[in-house]
Amino acid sequence: MTAATPPRPGAAPIVRRVVVYTILFVLVVLTASGLSDLLGRLFDVVTGEQLAGTDTVGLAVSLTFTLIAGPLAAVLGWFAWRRLADPPERASLAWALYLVGMGTLALVVSATALLSAAAAAVTAEAVTAATATGLVWAGVWAGHGFVLRRTDRRPTRLPGTAAVLGGTFGLVIGAGGAVTALTILVDEALAVGLGTDAAGSVGSPWWTGAVQALVWAAGGALVWWWHWRRDGGRSAGTALAGVALVGVGILGGALLTLAGIGTVVFVLLRLAVDRTDAVAVVCEPLGPAIAAALVGGLIWVYHRGVVHRRTPAVRQASTLVTSGISLVAAATGLGVIVNALLATVTTPLAGSDPRTLLLGGLSSLLVGGPVWWLTWRPAAEPAADPRRSAGRSVYLVVVFGISAIVALITLLVIGFRLFDTVLAGDPGLLDRIRAPLGLLVATALVAGYHFTVWRRDRAAVAATAPPAPPASAPAAPPAGVVGELVLVMGPGAEPVVAHLRRLTGAPVVYWQRAGGTAVLPDPAHVEQAMHGVSGDRVLLIVGVDGALTVIPVAAAQVA
């Protein structure tokens, strides 16, 4: 008799959970929206604003959401809460997605509203509606956060996801606020130094914008710290945590840093050798560039330290992302340089200066080239076993493929402009193809180099691969001689009987086990069990689990 297997859970519980948590999500959103509007109207009354008597429709909608959707959400939440006492309910994906989704939505709405209200308060603007929205959604976020982290009914799926998403959101808005504040400060300092008009909006001092941006920077930093440090986003080891760490911390920081430093170098080069424009005009991009370089550099350096304590796959992903970003910058600079050099031998269009174009290409190459060299290290010896670097192979194939596609498209563009110019009889062919020609040169070099590296890695893999085992010779017959072989096993023994006859050369008698099951033994195990066995009669017993027992027997002498 076979053991009874437990029944698999049906689809009904899964569908029930999806329906319940989807409805609960919608009801909570509606309730929070209604409460936010009602609280905003109450603030208007308290602060002296007149309640709009003609807006009866909006008031009715808010009352409906609050007084009808609210109790329904409470009843449905109580129903779901009771079921969460069962472990399968807490282990459901729908429960985890609901908590993570609602918590993240509440965080985004509340933080955005509260920071908008705080920033508007700098200029004494009315912020009742934003404050009400922020307070209500902050309560929703706090309640779901308590369930997610402090109760015994928190989900067992998607660990650390809410912390990773919240930390990423805080980092993004904090970085944006910091870049804006630093840009205003640097622009004001440059304006004072160059003797131009101070930056700022009409009717308000320049520092109001900086203070408002600092509010966003401080609020984003607080949100990031809360989720990254306090809620454990830093220690999360999930795939999402690795993607957020590399995609936002490394990729975002590198983009800001390289773009900012490249722009600063471009401005400095123009100040040194290109004075076609006024100094104030040349220095216009300097404020955003310095701000981006400082903030991006801080983010980049910090997350590089975090990456060094992660798994080798995350560290390799960080290296490849940095290499790819710097490679794009260097290749773009090289293409622009070729474009500018070709422009020097043609008659450029009115208003364009090849010298400015050349300085832009040089700045991009001077920034991206060294970073790529230090990250990729082309002069270093390749890895001893490139098979352990799956990400490296994917990176090489992706870079080669993208470069080849771009080169092919650019070649088609050059061919079109060539034929169009010849057929139309227009002069200035080189001026029309110099931009795509520079891009073609850069992408061709990138594709050729990475294809060479890919072939070298393949050769290294082939050289370090273990030799293939020699083809196994036919199994030698056992050393002993068997006169007769008796096989005892369950039904379906025909393949075993045929194998034993070939193996021993002896006649095989098959006795079927009563009530046994057909468990065919491994032929290699049969050969190993029969090796060296000899006798006039040998008994081979195959157990119900495939185990082999070999017993040489002899005729008994009965007195």
Side-chain angles (χ1 to χ4, degrees):
M1 296 179 60
T2 58
T5 58
R8 297 181 60 185
I14 299 176
V15 175
R16 173 183 57 78
R17 296 180 191 120
V18 171
V19 171
V20 167
Y21 292 122
T22 301
I23 296 176
L24 183 60
F25 188 96
V26 174
L27 290 176
V28 171
V29 171
L30 295 179
T31 304
S33 301
L35 280 175
S36 300
D37 185 68
L38 291 179
L39 186 60
R41 293 172 183 268
L42 179 61
F43 284 169
D44 288 337
V45 173
V46 173
T47 56
E49 296 287 338
Q50 290 293 330
L51 183 63
T54 57
D55 189 19
T56 57
V57 175
L59 182 58
V61 170
S62 299
L63 290 173
T64 302
F65 287 171
T66 304
L67 300 180
I68 295 180
L72 290 177
V75 172
L76 189 58
W78 176 79
F79 169 77
W81 185 261
R82 289 186 59 191
R83 283 188 170 271
L84 287 170
D86 299 332
E89 293 291 326
R90 296 194 299 272
S92 66
L93 182 61
W95 171 231
L97 286 175
Y98 166 77
L99 270 184
V100 172
M102 181 54 69
T104 304
L105 175 64
L107 172 67
V108 172
V109 175
S110 61
T112 303
L114 291 176
L115 291 177
S116 298
V122 175
T123 55
E125 298 179 17
V127 293
T128 55
T131 304
T133 301
L135 291 177
V136 171
W137 281 97
V140 175
W141 170 76
H144 286 78
F146 177 79
V147 175
L148 183 62
R149 289 177 285 272
R150 296 293 180 267
T151 64
D152 57 352
R153 301 191 183 186
R154 56 181 176 270
T156 58
R157 305 282 290 273
L158 305 179
T161 302
V164 171
L165 294 177
T168 302
F169 169 71
L171 179 64
V172 170
I173 62 174
V179 169
T180 303
L182 283 176
T183 299
I184 296 175
L185 292 176
V186 175
D187 285 344
E188 178 64 19
L190 290 175
V192 173
L194 297 176
T196 59
D197 293 335
S201 59
V202 178
S204 62
W206 67 268
W207 53 265
T208 56
V211 174
Q212 290 177 333
L214 286 176
V215 169
W216 283 92
L222 178 61
V223 172
W224 171 81
W225 172 85
W226 182 275
H227 291 85
W228 186 253
R229 293 280 189 175
R230 194 176 185 278
D231 285 349
R234 180 182 182 182
S235 58
T238 60
L240 178 63
V243 171
L245 177 62
V246 175
V248 179
I250 300 299
L251 177 60
L255 281 174
L256 283 176
T257 305
L258 295 181
I261 295 178
T263 306
V264 171
V265 173
F266 173 66
V267 171
L268 294 179
L269 289 177
R270 288 201 65 189
L271 290 176
V273 299
D274 183 12
R275 291 299 185 88
T276 55
D277 295 323
V279 176
V281 175
V282 174
C283 293
E284 280 183 1
L286 206 55
I290 294 176
L294 291 177
V295 176
L298 181 62
I299 295 173
W300 191 11
V301 171
Y302 172 78
H303 287 89
R304 277 178 58 87
V306 176
V307 163
H308 288 161
R309 296 187 292 270
R310 293 300 179 92
T311 61
V314 176
R315 294 197 297 269
Q316 185 186 52
S318 171
T319 300
L320 296 179
V321 164
T322 306
S323 176
I325 293 299
S326 57
L327 177 65
V328 170
T332 302
L334 180 60
V336 173
I337 289 175
V338 174
N339 183 6
L341 292 178
L342 292 176
T344 58
V345 297
T346 62
T347 303
L349 299 176
S352 63
D353 189 355
R355 182 170 49 182
T356 304
L357 191 65
L358 177 63
L359 295 179
L362 283 175
S363 61
S364 183
L365 182 61
L366 290 176
V367 173
V371 175
W372 175 81
W373 187 275
L374 294 175
T375 305
W376 182 252
R377 297 180 181 179
E381 292 294 330
D385 190 1
R387 291 173 297 177
R388 298 181 180 179
S389 303
R392 174 184 172 95
S393 301
V394 173
Y395 170 81
L396 290 172
V397 173
V398 169
V399 172
F400 168 72
I402 293 177
S403 302
I405 292 174
V406 173
L408 177 61
I409 296 175
T410 307
L411 186 61
L412 293 176
V413 172
I414 292 176
F416 166 74
R417 292 186 176 181
L418 172 64
F419 293 130
D420 182 59
T421 302
V422 172
L423 293 176
D426 296 333
L429 172 63
L430 186 59
D431 190 61
R432 295 190 62 185
I433 66 171
R434 58 185 175 87
L437 187 60
L439 183 59
L440 177 63
V441 171
T443 52
L445 290 176
V446 171
Y449 170 77
H450 287 85
F451 179 73
T452 303
V453 175
W454 177 73
R455 292 192 60 183
R456 184 185 65 185
D457 285 359
R458 288 193 62 187
V461 169
T464 57
S472 57
V481 178
V482 178
E484 183 183 23
L485 182 61
V486 179
L487 173 65
V488 180
M489 66 174 293
E494 290 78 8
V496 183
V497 172
H499 180 235
L500 288 173
R501 286 173 180 169
R502 292 193 304 268
L503 183 65
T504 63
V508 179
V509 179
Y510 168 46
W511 293 352
Q512 181 173 331
R513 180 192 296 272
T517 57
V519 178
L520 296 179
D522 188 357
H525 294 169
V526 174
E527 295 175 10
Q528 182 179 3
M530 292 297 300
H531 186 77
V533 177
S534 61
D536 294 335
R537 180 172 292 174
V538 176
L539 181 63
L540 175 61
I541 303 174
V542 180
V544 294
D545 58 348
L548 301 175
T549 304
V550 180
I551 305 175
V553 297
Q557 301 292 332
V558 180

